[in-house]
Amino acid sequence: MSELVSISPAELKVLALAEENVPRILRQQIMDRDHPQYGGIIKNNTGLASAENHGGGPADLVTLATVYLHPSSVYYQDARLIANMEAVAEFLRRVQRRDGLISMEFCNFDSPPDTAFVVVGLAELYTLLQEKAEPSLVRVQESLRLFLQAAIPGLVRGGVHTPNHRWVMAAALMWLHEIFGVEAAKARALQWLAEGIDCSDEGEWTELSNGVYNVICDIMFFQLANLLEEPELLEPVRRNLNYVSHLIHPNGLLVTDYSTRQDRLGKHYVDTYYLIYALMAGHDQHGEWASLADMAVQYMGHTEKVFSSCTHELLYHLRYPQLMNLTELPRTEPPQSYERHIRSGESGFSVIRRREENASLTLVGGQDTIGSFSYGEARLISIRPTLGFFGKAVIKPLGWEVAGDSYQAVTKLVAPYFGPLTPEEMAALPADINVLDMYNSCREEIDVCDVTTQLRITPVAYGFNLHWQTDAKWPVYAQLALMFGSEGYFQDELGLRLLNSTDYLFGGDLAIYRCGKWVIEIKLKSPQQPEHFLTVIRGDVPRQGTRNLLVNSLTPTEVCLEVRGYESGVRRIMT
């Protein structure tokens, strides 16, 4: 690699965040040689030292090494850091177990994928140390070489248990081939790649994890394209980056409504995409991705910055300066207003994304929420229609169909009763049949109860209208739960009935939620007194960490809401 070019404001911010981590690392590192975890760095959330990729010893080692090597760092060539780096590198070697594998102590043991995450990061660091040839870090470099070499058997024969693990393993194996020339490592990487790349034409990775794992896949394919010298492996990365540009709320949060992983409905900012947007903007000279990298770095540090070894932004600034420095690249503005339909199927679209500057609406199918809405910093995190119908609770439309200027979804809930089985039928039951299911799949249906419910969402300027209609033969308990961020509050002078510390009963015709200067106003166009006081319909789960506005009724019911966002002092009249 060539020498570092001029430093961009983004790099200076990344450097500052890395420097902020150093006092914690030094304070929490175990430097007592008689301690069983000597060299390890205590994690705040566990009280123990860890070798895991995210926030563990490998990431802290990368932080120490990069601030030591960065010419603009306050820790540049600070000899006080050398012993700490040597100690944590020794710790990482010491915790390797069978076949050179490490464990994620609270979850995965003797784990090839968790080892692979670390190998990718430490291989980049090892290569950087080779390039810099810094005499003071020779012992650290040798410890890294031994760690990486020890991991070869475990990764060459090891397996995975999630989709993204395949690509992390492939990248790690290619690094082992790059450094040690192990042909078996390359052969195993190619075996994983031979399964086929699980990124759709629209740009979605299998796990649909916009907040965590999609970007991991992107980084690993950036690595694989370089290590295999196959530039076509960057195509899924490009598709995902274009896709994600339509999944960013105006407050910098990513859409996580439909993730299959732990980021679902969580607060994950676009800063997680800074690294790959910057790398690919530099690689492709792409002005829009450069603008998105600018946006992403603005949100970096918005919450506590926890580095990972394999995606450590400062490490990549030092390793790929020509790509990461985007100062001279002309910018193109990313989309601020758009409407996008995602994943078309028999039941309509699985995801609808509509954004109009500060207003951001998401509709999803097949989830225990039908979507979300945000206006600036004000967040309506989840819209949950539920029915007290045989414990089925949350209405989960499979998709959304376009109906003029609206989107609609019709869902039919069915609940049968079953008749008795004869002794002969009991004797003929398969041995593996579910006893707890009362053998219902083998019984005659005696009576079938059903209810049909229809949802219609009409996007409008600064918000949307919601219409929910349910007809039933019985007075079924119905509830529309609007779940707002706990960082805001409802105006209490409007007469909402507080059922407990977080649940408000909508008994009038107007509710206003505020978060700083940002406001979401909800007008009930079908005003009625609540017909029941349940906070949670049977079959639903208690809501935690949100402020909830409940529209309670009995079927037949028709709920009509107008939802609008605005800034304080700029209120718009609903029409």
Side-chain angles (χ1 to χ4, degrees), residues 262-502:
Q262 67 265 31
D263 56 318
R264 184 175 176 276
L265 295 179
K267 292 181 71 172
H268 293 267
Y269 286 92
V270 68
D271 67 309
T272 190
Y273 271 87
Y274 166 69
L275 177 57
I276 192 61
Y277 268 127
L279 286 169
M280 289 301 295
H283 184 280
D284 286 8
Q285 291 295 287
H286 198 294
E288 183 179 309
W289 294 346
S291 292
L292 287 164
D294 294 340
M295 177 198 303
V297 82
Q298 290 175 15
Y299 287 97
M300 195 176 292
H302 203 68
T303 57
E304 181 184 4
K305 176 60 178 174
V306 179
F307 287 99
S308 296
S309 63
C310 70
T311 57
H312 199 298
E313 292 88 349
L314 190 57
L315 174 59
Y316 282 77
H317 269 290
L318 290 171
R319 281 278 291 130
Y320 306 93
Q322 298 93 339
L323 298 183
M324 294 292 289
N325 192 315
L326 306 175
T327 304
E328 303 301 322
L329 180 60
R331 279 13 181 209
T332 302
E333 282 300 308
Q336 300 295 318
S337 298
Y338 53 81
E339 185 163 326
R340 182 166 180 178
H341 306 160
I342 301 168
R343 266 184 279 134
S344 177
E346 292 183 2
S347 301
F349 295 99
S350 295
V351 180
I352 304 291
R353 276 289 296 144
R354 178 186 171 94
R355 180 171 168 186
E356 185 181 7
E357 297 180 347
N358 287 320
S360 184
L361 174 67
T362 307
L363 300 179
V364 295
Q367 306 291 323
D368 58 3
T369 176
I370 64 166
S372 61
F373 174 74
S374 64
Y375 195 86
E377 295 289 339
R379 298 187 303 140
L380 170 50
I381 298 171
S382 177
I383 306 166
R384 290 170 66 96
T386 58
L387 293 173
F389 187 76
F390 292 84
K392 298 180 182 297
V394 182
I395 305 301
K396 300 178 182 180
L398 296 178
W400 294 88
E401 296 182 340
V402 178
D405 59 355
S406 302
Y407 299 102
Q408 70 177 23
V410 178
T411 305
K412 185 175 183 179
L413 303 181
V414 178
Y417 290 95
F418 301 95
L421 293 170
T422 67
E424 292 75 18
E425 289 172 326
M426 289 291 291
L429 291 173
D432 60 350
I433 196 164
N434 185 358
V435 178
L436 295 178
D437 191 38
M438 282 290 294
Y439 322 118
N440 284 344
S441 59
C442 301
R443 295 175 186 269
E444 177 190 3
E445 293 184 359
I446 301 298
D447 290 302
V448 177
C449 301
D450 62 73
V451 60
T452 299
T453 184
Q454 182 181 64
L455 287 154
R456 186 172 72 247
I457 303 291
T458 305
V460 297
Y462 314 111
F464 65 96
N465 298 334
L466 180 150
H467 179 264
W468 179 31
Q469 183 172 356
T470 305
D471 295 312
K473 304 172 185 176
W474 321 269
V476 177
Y477 284 74
Q479 180 179 87
L480 181 66
L482 306 177
M483 301 165 58
F484 291 83
S486 60
E487 64 273 15
Y489 65 94
F490 291 108
Q491 283 190 205
D492 53 12
E493 70 270 17
L494 294 176
L496 301 180
R497 179 174 176 178
L498 183 61
L499 298 177
N500 53 47
S501 61
T502 60

Side-chain angles (χ1 to χ4, degrees), residues 17-47:
L17 289 169
E19 291 171 339
E20 288 175 10
N21 271 264
V22 173
R24 171 194 58 80
I25 295 170
L26 301 184
R27 183 175 62 251
Q28 297 182 196
Q29 188 172 19
I30 301 168
M31 295 300 286
D32 177 2
R33 287 187 174 274
D34 294 328
H35 194 286
Q37 289 195 307
Y38 165 69
I41 299 156
I42 301 298
K43 292 191 69 175
N44 288 330
N45 64 329
T46 66

Side-chain angles (χ1 to χ4, degrees), residues 522-542:
I522 309 97
K523 188 171 185 180
L524 188 60
K525 298 293 286 185
S526 50
Q528 57 188 3
Q529 289 302 309
E531 295 183 90
H532 65 86
F533 298 150
L534 289 181
T535 57
V536 178
I537 296 291
R538 182 168 180 168
D540 198 1
V541 294

